[in-house]
Amino acid sequence: KLYYIIIMSGFKRFYYNGELAGQRLTLDAKQAHHLLDVLRLKKGAEVEVFNDRGISSRAVVLSVSRKSVELELSSGQPTVKTDLDIALATAVPKGSRMDWLVEKTAELGLRQLIPLITQRSVIRDVTRKLPRWQNIAVAAAKQTGQNHIVQIQPAVAFSEIIKQTEVSPPVALLRHGAPRTQTTRGLDYDLCLIAVPLASSPLEEII
């Protein structure tokens, strides 16, 4: 069995897409809705705000309006970052199982999730699902104390990801200290795990 422990800060957390510089910032509409309408926090409440650059900061709710929240920051604190940026490239399961996979990937601190399309994939067009999965990743980071958010990449063909990694499936492993993998699609990682069910990936596709 695999066990992992998540240490929580004790403060409600909110995502800010930008630098945590200066003394004040304004949350976007989605984060403001969560603070005001879901958690029902008031002026003076202490919270934690984080971005996707490994920084978090304690903050106080300075002012609130119907759809806006302004925070006053204390000093930002960098978080401990793993030496490896890990990506998971995976075939897309049916139903809500992909939602669960995105959530767990985000909780474990992976940096990228790459949907794979194989010859026998039932779900081939995931474009409309990408924003939903990214929102799930943000929510998971808020709940588990992660200061990096897993980035949901556009879908890629299984054969293409194999060519990009230049290693053999089903697990693509880049040596620690080797040059990072950078591709024309903007993928950038130290280590990439490839996960596909054997039944959906005929041998001729992965050789």
Side-chain angles (χ1 to χ4, degrees), residues 88-170:
L88 172 64
T90 179
V92 180
K94 290 190 270 186
S96 62
R97 285 176 290 181
M98 188 64 175
D99 292 357
W100 178 88
L101 181 60
V102 170
E103 181 180 293
K104 299 309 171 187
T105 299
E107 289 175 358
L108 290 172
L110 273 67
R111 299 305 303 277
Q112 296 183 65
L113 182 60
I114 309 165
L116 290 181
I117 305 300
T118 70
Q119 288 184 10
R120 298 177 184 173
S121 290
V122 175
I123 301 174
R124 307 189 71 86
D125 185 3
V126 300
T127 304
R128 291 183 295 178
K129 297 178 182 288
L130 296 179
R132 168 181 170 78
W133 292 339
Q134 194 64 66
N135 287 336
I136 292 173
V138 171
K142 289 169 62 176
Q143 293 173 3
T144 58
Q146 294 285 352
N147 285 348
H148 290 285
I149 297 172
V150 61
Q151 297 301 309
I152 313 300
Q153 299 289 349
V156 61
F158 187 34
S159 57
E160 184 178 344
I161 198 71
I162 294 300
K163 292 177 182 177
Q164 291 174 355
T165 55
E166 297 182 350
V167 294
S168 300

